[in-house]
Structures are given as structure tokens and as C-alpha cells.
Amino acid sequence: MNVLAMFCVRACSGLVGFRTATRVRSLHSFPGITVDQIDEEVSKLLQLKARIGGDDGKHQFVLKTAKGTRDYNPKQMAIREKVFNTITGCFKRHGAETIDTPVFELKETLTGKYGEDSKLIYDLKDQGGELLSLRYDLTVPFARYLAMNKITNIKRYHIAKVYRRDNPAMTRGRYREFYQCDFDIAGQYDGMIPDAECLKIVHEILSELDLGDFRIKVNDRRILDGMFAVCGVPDDKFRTICSTVDKLDKMPWEDVRKEMVTEKGLSEEAADRIGEYVSLQGGMELAERLLQDQRMSQSKQACAGLSDIKLLFSYLQLFQVTDKVVFDLSLARGLDYYTGIIYEAVLTQAGVALGSTEAQNGSGAEESVSVGSVAGGGRYDGLVGMFDPKGRKVPCVGVSIGIERIFSIMEQKAEASAQKVRTTEVQVMVASAQKNLLEERLKLLTELWNAGIKAEVMYKKNPKLLSQLQHCEDSGIPLVAILGEQELKDGVVKLRVVATREEVDMSRADLMDEIRRRTSEA
């Protein structure tokens, strides 16, 4: 904190400097103040100084992205597009159509749908008499869309940004603004067939992206509620105890038990009974065993969920994905709108090394990325009915892919490998071997563009051939179409393969087909 105070005193001057130093000193003396809070105050004061202007009277900007957000350079965007294309291709392969919804909703649309996470919703100032909030996820807007348009059957995907007023941990792919990639099936269908397809989709995407070994944990909210009931949890504590159980992937059981007993007021006996169940993992055989369990068999809710788990695993066997799926009674997923099957995909490999530029820990040292969940979802049969004027329900099940966390891994894998990431898709560079051929280059470039070929030229009248070839090497452009005085006389173009330096003369009439053939082979 002393360092922050010294920085602020030195960074600001005049009236702003006095205000900054005074305010930071007062923060420093305030008991319980955190470094993050002082960082936030320093950021506000620097922005104040920027608005007022420096000593020279010129306006100065604070050049930084907002907390919990980031810019993406062309190399990073190329990796992101590859991931998006993989995910979109899988969604389309399963017959989904796409929709879009506004980035903000009426505040009342989002209120009360996320349990304890509702405090993370971004509220906007009153604009024209409407209280609005930025969307927290894509599921609640989807449910509102179905109810508003009276849609009872749809298989849709939606890829868009969502916003959470969270404490960001960008080293673990956790942001305040980030993309979600959602796939949902809405409609009245026979049990567990759509649910099994959602798990198949997660399996396909994670396998195709080649992120390393993964597991898909499965549970059911009815099993959880039944378990809480037979373990002695009061009805009014179900949701809050569920949120605590949801922390088992981040905290040891001892800490989770302590939170249940000391903070949530649960009896020690009830907590210990819960502990016996949440340690269990397995497959169809575990569901069969729990159906015979003396306590669990007393709950109709739990038995219904366990029967569906058995049915789900029978379909997953047909889809050939049971090697990665595990029935895990510790999986809770805290969102209030889930009513049945819930699932979450986690990577089981060790953390990826993350360089100091991304670590943002100030030490310059490398740290390990623990990305946590990379996909999650479940069944939410009651959400659409909350919006429908007549309360008509539309059963829904869906999955959301955690693109930012996946991207954090893909980016590090790209940095660790020697493979160059192409940031453009240019197939051919139009080059010249002599001077005064700009017009001829532009004519050929136009022919290529009109034929649908991705091509470019250097923006100089008389560039050196070596510079043009070097640009292709640096940019990964595979082919060069070279024009010279002799080629123009003969009505040919010299096509050069950058990687092998092989050159071949061909007529302009055959050039387009040859470029397509060579780039499709690559």
C-alpha cells in the first residue's frame, strides 16, 4: 500500500496531486482496506487527472482496458476464430439454428433467476423510464424469448457476450465481459434423449479442440434436493446449502462442512450425512445402488432423478461417451433455475504455464493456470413458465461452453509451440519483378478478387521483389503471382510456391484454378 501511495503522490501534480495523495493516505490508514480497493481508487483518481489535464494543459488519457476486460491482437483473434468455428460447426452438425437477443434486458427479467449470484448482475442507470441490466448469461434471455414469441419447440445455439460484476481472475480465464457459446433444446420430448445429446456435444467439442484429458460430471437437482431432505436439511436451507456444496471443486470438504455449520446454521449431524453422499462417484451402477439406499429410497424426488440418471447412461453408451462421463453427487451448480439433470466438464490435466504478460501478478514470474470448468449446463423446465402470462411451461435443456477458459489454454499452447499462427487468409500475393508495373498488378489483383480468391499487393508503386517475397514469408502467404515485362508479352504469370521456391509459368486463364487447387491441398 505504501508503494501505491508513493506512486499516486508522484504521478499527480497541483490540485489533483494534492487530492490524490490525501485520499490515498486516508485509505491507507483505514482498517481492513484491501490492495484491490486502493487500486480501484487510484484508477479513479488517475482518470480524474486525465479529464482535468496535465501541467501542459493537454488532455491526457488513461490508456488501459476496464477491469476484467482485455484486447485481443490478430494472433489471438485467429486462435479464437478457430475455436468458434469448431464450436459452431458442432452445433450446426446437431441441427441447431441460431438467434440473437439484446445485450441488456429489463432488470425484472433477470432478477431472482441466479440465486446468490444475482449480486453479480450489472445494473444500468435509468434510461427513459426503464430499469435495465446487462445480461448475466444467455439462458434467461432465451427463456424470455420463447415466452414472448410463444415458441414451444426449438433447437438453437447462441454465441454472444455476457457480463458479470465479478472479481476477475484473468489468469484463470475469468472476466467481467466474456463470450458464452450456448446450445439448447426446448420442447416436450421423451426423457433423457435431448439431455444425452447435450453431453455428446460437449464430448465432441472438447475432443476436437484437443485440450487434454477431461471429465464430464453429471448429477440431478432432484437427487440433491432429495439427499438434503433425507439428511435433515430444512426446506428453507436447500438453496443456500446447495451453493455451499457447489464449492467442493474449489474447497476441501472440511471447509465446506465448516461453512454449512458455522455460517449457514446446519446441524453437524446433517452436514456429516451430506458428506457421506457427496464423496460418491460412479456410473449407472452407482445410481442402481443409491436406489436401494435406505435413506435415499425414502425420497420420491431422489428416486426419480436416479432413474433418469440410469436412463441417461444407457443413451450415453449408445453415443459412445461413457468413458468421459461420471455420476458425481458433489456436483451442485448454484443457479436457481435448474430443475433436473446438471452437468459440468472439467479438464483433468495439470495447469498450463502462463507467461508474465498475462499473469499480471507484478512479479514477472510464471504461474500455473487452473482453468476450472470449461462447460456446464442442465435441465431448466420451469424457467420459460416464469415469463409466460399463463404460466405455460416449456421443458428445456442446454449446455454452455466456457470459451474464455478454453481460449486461455489454446493461446498458451500456441505460444509454447513453434508453429506460426496465420492472422490472415490471403492465398496469393500479386508481385512484380520490375518497376512501373503497378497498373498491371492492380488489374491482376482485381481478376483474382472477382474470382473469389483472397489476394493482396504491397502498397508501393515500385516495391523490391525481395521485399514482396519476404512479406509472404512473414505473413504465411503460400503463393506469389509474379508479373514481369516478359510474362506480360507472353501472356503468362509466374506462380511461385513460397515454401519450396518452386516456380511455374501458366496462362492467366488457368491461374485461378491452379491457385484454388494448390491452396485446397494445403
Side-chain angles (χ1 to χ4, degrees), residues 348-411:
T348 57
Q349 64 182 9
V352 183
L354 192 59
S356 57
T357 55
E358 182 64 21
Q360 297 186 6
N361 59 6
S363 64
E366 289 194 349
E367 60 180 72
S368 180
V369 181
S370 175
V371 296
S373 166
V374 291
R379 178 160 286 280
Y380 51 101
D381 290 347
L383 190 57
V384 178
M386 293 174 69
F387 296 110
D388 190 279
K390 297 183 179 179
R392 288 171 294 203
K393 292 185 178 181
V394 178
C396 296
V397 64
V399 64
S400 181
I401 308 297
I403 186 70
E404 304 298 344
R405 292 177 171 181
I406 289 174
F407 172 63
S408 294
I409 299 167
M410 298 286 285
E411 185 180 359

XYZ file of all heavy atoms in Angstrom, residues 348-411:
445
model
N -8.775 -32.445 -16.683
C -8.102 -33.198 -15.625
C -6.587 -33.131 -15.737
O -5.881 -33.712 -14.923
C -8.528 -34.678 -15.668
O -8.245 -35.216 -16.974
C -10.016 -34.808 -15.401
N -6.079 -32.399 -16.748
C -4.634 -32.269 -16.888
C -4.116 -31.201 -15.935
O -4.876 -30.414 -15.393
C -4.267 -31.892 -18.324
C -4.806 -30.519 -18.730
C -4.471 -30.169 -20.173
O -3.998 -31.004 -20.907
N -4.710 -28.941 -20.554
N -2.770 -31.168 -15.768
C -2.146 -30.141 -14.928
C -2.321 -28.775 -15.569
O -2.550 -28.653 -16.770
C -0.675 -30.449 -14.737
N -2.192 -27.719 -14.757
C -2.336 -26.349 -15.253
C -1.319 -26.017 -16.327
O -0.220 -26.560 -16.372
N -1.707 -25.115 -17.234
C -0.832 -24.680 -18.309
C 0.027 -23.523 -17.813
O -0.459 -22.631 -17.129
C -1.680 -24.225 -19.518
C -0.787 -23.843 -20.675
C -2.650 -25.311 -19.918
N 1.311 -23.521 -18.156
C 2.182 -22.418 -17.732
C 1.744 -21.132 -18.395
O 1.511 -21.088 -19.591
C 3.626 -22.726 -18.089
N 1.605 -20.089 -17.630
C 1.132 -18.808 -18.145
C 2.199 -17.758 -17.970
O 2.721 -17.566 -16.886
C -0.138 -18.382 -17.394
C -0.919 -17.222 -17.971
C -1.364 -17.546 -19.379
C -2.139 -16.947 -17.121
N 2.577 -17.087 -19.062
C 3.662 -16.117 -19.032
C 3.338 -14.882 -18.225
O 2.190 -14.602 -17.906
N 4.359 -14.105 -17.934
C 4.197 -12.958 -17.041
C 3.340 -11.860 -17.646
O 2.728 -11.094 -16.938
C 5.577 -12.401 -16.688
O 6.272 -12.045 -17.862
N 3.280 -11.786 -18.996
C 2.466 -10.737 -19.611
C 1.001 -10.931 -19.304
O 0.240 -9.976 -19.232
C 2.662 -10.735 -21.139
O 2.377 -12.055 -21.632
C 4.073 -10.351 -21.502
N 0.578 -12.197 -19.107
C -0.826 -12.460 -18.838
C -1.080 -12.645 -17.346
O -2.183 -12.461 -16.853
C -1.235 -13.731 -19.607
C -2.687 -14.126 -19.477
C -3.625 -13.103 -20.064
O -3.205 -12.302 -20.899
O -4.795 -13.102 -19.659
N -0.013 -13.022 -16.624
C -0.205 -13.355 -15.219
C -0.645 -12.161 -14.397
O -1.431 -12.283 -13.475
C 1.084 -13.929 -14.646
N -0.116 -10.969 -14.710
C -0.494 -9.732 -14.031
C -0.320 -9.843 -12.517
O -1.123 -9.343 -11.741
C -1.945 -9.377 -14.355
C -2.157 -9.107 -15.835
C -3.552 -8.615 -16.126
O -4.338 -8.373 -15.239
N -3.851 -8.434 -17.374
N 0.730 -10.559 -12.116
C 0.951 -10.660 -10.678
C 2.048 -9.730 -10.201
O 2.403 -9.727 -9.037
C 1.278 -12.111 -10.295
C 2.512 -12.633 -11.020
O 3.184 -11.881 -11.717
N 2.798 -13.914 -10.858
N 2.626 -8.978 -11.133
C 3.587 -7.953 -10.770
C 4.977 -8.470 -10.503
O 5.909 -7.696 -10.356
N 5.165 -9.793 -10.443
C 6.482 -10.321 -10.097
C 7.281 -10.699 -11.322
O 8.473 -10.937 -11.242
C 6.305 -11.563 -9.219
O 5.662 -12.586 -9.941
N 6.615 -10.821 -12.470
C 7.302 -11.246 -13.674
C 7.518 -12.737 -13.717
O 8.073 -13.266 -14.669
N 7.087 -13.459 -12.699
C 7.264 -14.904 -12.663
C 6.104 -15.594 -13.381
O 5.039 -15.041 -13.549
C 7.317 -15.379 -11.213
N 6.374 -16.844 -13.797
C 5.321 -17.611 -14.420
C 4.450 -18.249 -13.347
O 4.888 -18.551 -12.247
C 5.912 -18.709 -15.322
C 6.560 -18.158 -16.588
C 6.824 -19.256 -17.601
O 6.699 -20.438 -17.226
O 7.146 -18.936 -18.741
N 3.190 -18.447 -13.673
C 2.325 -19.149 -12.748
C 1.503 -20.155 -13.529
O 1.441 -20.123 -14.745
C 1.425 -18.183 -11.995
C 0.502 -17.362 -12.874
C -0.347 -16.423 -12.039
O 0.193 -15.437 -11.520
O -1.550 -16.682 -11.917
N 0.868 -21.048 -12.824
C 0.115 -22.113 -13.463
C -1.349 -21.725 -13.564
O -1.900 -21.133 -12.653
C 0.264 -23.397 -12.655
O -0.452 -24.449 -13.261
N -1.962 -22.044 -14.703
C -3.366 -21.723 -14.902
C -4.227 -22.872 -14.417
O -4.029 -24.009 -14.827
C -3.665 -21.509 -16.399
C -5.129 -21.161 -16.587
C -2.812 -20.416 -16.951
N -5.151 -22.597 -13.543
C -6.153 -23.585 -13.156
C -7.474 -23.101 -13.723
O -8.093 -22.199 -13.183
C -6.230 -23.702 -11.635
O -7.274 -24.560 -11.267
N -7.881 -23.663 -14.859
C -8.996 -23.079 -15.598
C -10.355 -23.496 -15.075
O -11.358 -22.882 -15.380
C -8.908 -23.415 -17.101
C -7.689 -22.800 -17.709
C -8.908 -24.919 -17.316
N -10.403 -24.563 -14.247
C -11.681 -24.987 -13.694
C -12.611 -25.530 -14.761
O -12.192 -26.167 -15.726
N -13.908 -25.253 -14.599
C -14.926 -25.768 -15.515
C -14.782 -25.130 -16.901
O -14.547 -23.927 -17.019
C -16.316 -25.456 -14.954
O -17.312 -25.637 -15.920
N -14.934 -25.944 -17.950
C -14.877 -25.413 -19.315
C -16.224 -25.566 -20.030
O -16.363 -25.116 -21.171
C -13.763 -26.076 -20.149
C -12.399 -25.665 -19.639
C -13.897 -27.596 -20.148
N -17.192 -26.194 -19.395
C -18.540 -26.297 -19.966
C -19.493 -26.705 -18.846
O -19.095 -27.374 -17.892
C -18.590 -27.320 -21.097
N -20.733 -26.303 -18.978
C -21.716 -26.677 -17.967
C -23.121 -26.443 -18.468
O -23.341 -25.706 -19.443
N -24.064 -27.076 -17.814
C -25.446 -26.883 -18.217
C -26.371 -27.777 -17.435
O -26.004 -28.335 -16.404
N -27.590 -27.932 -17.958
C -28.559 -28.775 -17.289
C -29.967 -28.520 -17.784
O -30.186 -27.802 -18.773
N -30.919 -29.118 -17.069
C -32.335 -29.008 -17.439
C -33.002 -27.921 -16.606
O -32.805 -27.855 -15.388
C -33.027 -30.362 -17.236
C -34.515 -30.341 -17.540
C -35.053 -31.720 -17.805
N -34.641 -32.230 -19.107
C -35.219 -31.893 -20.277
N -36.247 -31.041 -20.301
N -34.793 -32.397 -21.407
N -33.788 -27.079 -17.282
C -34.495 -25.982 -16.594
C -35.928 -25.909 -17.127
O -36.284 -25.088 -17.937
C -33.739 -24.653 -16.767
C -33.373 -24.281 -18.193
C -34.116 -23.339 -18.907
C -32.288 -24.861 -18.840
C -33.788 -22.989 -20.209
C -31.947 -24.521 -20.143
C -32.699 -23.588 -20.817
O -32.364 -23.250 -22.115
N -36.769 -26.803 -16.629
C -38.124 -26.938 -17.165
C -39.074 -25.841 -16.711
O -40.137 -25.652 -17.311
C -38.709 -28.301 -16.769
C -38.033 -29.456 -17.506
O -37.305 -29.180 -18.486
O -38.227 -30.617 -17.103
N -38.723 -25.099 -15.654
C -39.664 -24.109 -15.139
C -39.379 -22.675 -15.529
O -40.184 -21.782 -15.247
N -38.257 -22.418 -16.203
C -37.836 -21.034 -16.430
C -38.743 -20.292 -17.410
O -39.110 -19.139 -17.179
C -36.382 -21.013 -16.928
C -35.700 -19.651 -16.994
C -35.720 -18.959 -15.638
C -34.250 -19.801 -17.479
N -39.124 -20.935 -18.514
C -39.981 -20.264 -19.503
C -41.330 -19.919 -18.877
O -41.891 -18.839 -19.104
C -40.170 -21.141 -20.753
C -41.111 -20.459 -21.751
C -38.819 -21.430 -21.424
N -41.866 -20.819 -18.050
C -43.157 -20.580 -17.410
C -43.155 -19.377 -16.483
O -44.206 -18.789 -16.225
N -41.964 -18.987 -15.971
C -41.878 -17.799 -15.113
C -42.201 -16.533 -15.899
O -42.626 -15.523 -15.327
C -40.477 -17.690 -14.508
C -40.155 -18.807 -13.526
S -38.445 -18.756 -12.947
C -38.479 -17.257 -11.955
N -41.990 -16.573 -17.215
C -42.237 -15.388 -18.053
C -43.592 -15.440 -18.755
O -44.129 -14.406 -19.146
C -41.137 -15.257 -19.112
C -39.765 -15.009 -18.545
C -38.787 -15.981 -18.608
C -39.454 -13.806 -17.932
C -37.510 -15.760 -18.089
C -38.200 -13.575 -17.405
C -37.235 -14.552 -17.481
N -44.131 -16.646 -18.958
C -45.388 -16.780 -19.691
C -46.547 -16.249 -18.840
O -46.675 -16.606 -17.660
C -45.633 -18.250 -20.047
C -46.792 -18.412 -21.008
O -47.953 -18.398 -20.536
O -46.544 -18.545 -22.225
N -47.411 -15.392 -19.411
C -48.531 -14.813 -18.643
C -49.442 -15.874 -18.026
O -50.013 -15.660 -16.964
C -49.286 -13.977 -19.685
C -48.276 -13.685 -20.750
C -47.351 -14.860 -20.782
N -49.578 -17.024 -18.687
C -50.431 -18.095 -18.187
C -49.637 -19.194 -17.492
O -50.198 -20.228 -17.126
C -51.250 -18.685 -19.335
C -52.217 -17.690 -19.971
C -53.056 -18.345 -21.053
C -54.042 -17.342 -21.662
N -54.848 -17.981 -22.731
N -48.334 -18.959 -17.332
C -47.500 -19.926 -16.633
C -47.241 -21.208 -17.399
O -46.856 -22.222 -16.804
N -47.451 -21.193 -18.731
C -47.233 -22.407 -19.521
C -45.752 -22.747 -19.568
O -44.920 -21.913 -19.920
C -47.770 -22.208 -20.939
C -49.287 -22.190 -21.022
C -49.785 -21.772 -22.380
N -49.439 -20.370 -22.642
C -50.074 -19.586 -23.516
N -51.096 -20.073 -24.190
N -49.704 -18.348 -23.704
N -45.430 -23.990 -19.234
C -44.030 -24.412 -19.169
C -43.565 -24.971 -20.511
O -44.345 -25.611 -21.224
C -43.845 -25.468 -18.082
C -44.049 -24.940 -16.670
C -43.733 -26.004 -15.635
C -43.882 -25.444 -14.221
N -43.557 -26.465 -13.190
N -42.306 -24.706 -20.824
C -41.647 -25.317 -21.982
C -40.396 -26.012 -21.461
O -39.460 -25.352 -21.015
C -41.262 -24.256 -23.044
C -40.537 -24.929 -24.210
C -42.494 -23.511 -23.546
N -40.373 -27.344 -21.442
C -39.181 -28.046 -20.955
C -37.960 -27.675 -21.790
O -38.033 -27.600 -23.022
C -39.545 -29.526 -21.136
C -41.039 -29.553 -21.234
C -41.435 -28.263 -21.877
N -36.831 -27.432 -21.126
C -35.603 -27.030 -21.820
C -34.397 -27.723 -21.197
O -34.366 -27.965 -19.990
C -35.384 -25.519 -21.724
S -36.629 -24.498 -22.528
N -33.419 -28.006 -22.030
C -32.135 -28.496 -21.542
C -31.064 -27.884 -22.445
O -31.283 -27.686 -23.637
C -32.063 -30.037 -21.551
C -32.155 -30.601 -22.969
C -30.809 -30.531 -20.855
N -29.918 -27.557 -21.846
C -28.887 -26.920 -22.660
C -27.518 -27.006 -22.031
O -27.343 -27.492 -20.911
N -26.547 -26.523 -22.795
C -25.159 -26.525 -22.336
C -24.495 -25.238 -22.794
O -24.822 -24.683 -23.848
C -24.392 -27.753 -22.877
C -24.290 -27.715 -24.401
C -23.015 -27.863 -22.248
N -23.567 -24.742 -21.983
C -22.804 -23.535 -22.303
C -21.319 -23.877 -22.284
O -20.826 -24.471 -21.320
C -23.111 -22.431 -21.290
O -22.402 -21.247 -21.604
N -20.629 -23.502 -23.344
C -19.194 -23.763 -23.450
C -18.426 -22.543 -22.943
O -18.680 -21.416 -23.367
C -18.779 -24.051 -24.913
C -19.670 -25.152 -25.518
C -17.308 -24.422 -24.996
C -19.568 -26.488 -24.846
N -17.487 -22.748 -22.030
C -16.695 -21.651 -21.464
C -15.557 -21.252 -22.374
O -14.408 -21.648 -22.185
N -15.874 -20.445 -23.356
C -14.920 -20.137 -24.428
C -13.675 -19.431 -23.915
O -12.564 -19.683 -24.396
C -15.621 -19.296 -25.535
C -14.700 -19.083 -26.743
C -16.075 -17.967 -24.995
C -14.466 -20.312 -27.533
N -13.804 -18.533 -22.942
C -12.644 -17.772 -22.485
C -11.624 -18.682 -21.802
O -10.415 -18.517 -21.971
C -13.076 -16.649 -21.531
C -14.105 -15.690 -22.107
C -13.618 -14.917 -23.323
O -12.391 -14.880 -23.577
O -14.472 -14.358 -24.035
N -12.101 -19.616 -21.012
C -11.185 -20.533 -20.350
C -10.514 -21.445 -21.365
O -9.325 -21.752 -21.267
C -11.944 -21.335 -19.292
C -12.388 -20.454 -18.127
C -13.200 -21.206 -17.105
N -13.405 -20.373 -15.918
C -14.068 -20.766 -14.851
N -14.582 -21.975 -14.803
N -14.210 -19.967 -13.818
N -11.276 -21.905 -22.339
C -10.690 -22.729 -23.404
C -9.654 -21.936 -24.171
O -8.562 -22.423 -24.478
C -11.798 -23.243 -24.342
C -12.630 -24.308 -23.626
C -11.215 -23.792 -25.634
C -13.840 -24.772 -24.403
N -9.990 -20.677 -24.462
C -9.057 -19.841 -25.212
C -7.761 -19.619 -24.449
O -6.679 -19.579 -25.038
C -9.709 -18.497 -25.543
C -8.750 -17.509 -26.147
C -8.144 -17.762 -27.365
C -8.434 -16.339 -25.486
C -7.249 -16.868 -27.912
C -7.535 -15.436 -26.024
C -6.945 -15.703 -27.250
N -7.827 -19.458 -23.128
C -6.611 -19.276 -22.332
C -5.645 -20.437 -22.547
O -4.434 -20.245 -22.646
C -6.962 -19.173 -20.843
O -7.708 -18.016 -20.579
N -6.189 -21.655 -22.640
C -5.350 -22.827 -22.856
C -4.824 -22.860 -24.288
O -3.634 -23.109 -24.530
C -6.152 -24.107 -22.559
C -6.603 -24.104 -21.106
C -5.328 -25.350 -22.855
C -7.635 -25.148 -20.797
N -5.706 -22.608 -25.251
C -5.300 -22.645 -26.661
C -4.208 -21.614 -26.953
O -3.271 -21.876 -27.697
C -6.513 -22.379 -27.558
C -7.617 -23.405 -27.442
S -7.211 -24.967 -28.227
C -7.405 -24.540 -29.959
N -4.341 -20.440 -26.345
C -3.350 -19.385 -26.552
C -1.987 -19.816 -26.021
O -0.958 -19.608 -26.670
C -3.815 -18.107 -25.857
C -2.903 -16.915 -26.107
C -3.378 -15.656 -25.401
O -4.440 -15.715 -24.731
O -2.682 -14.634 -25.499
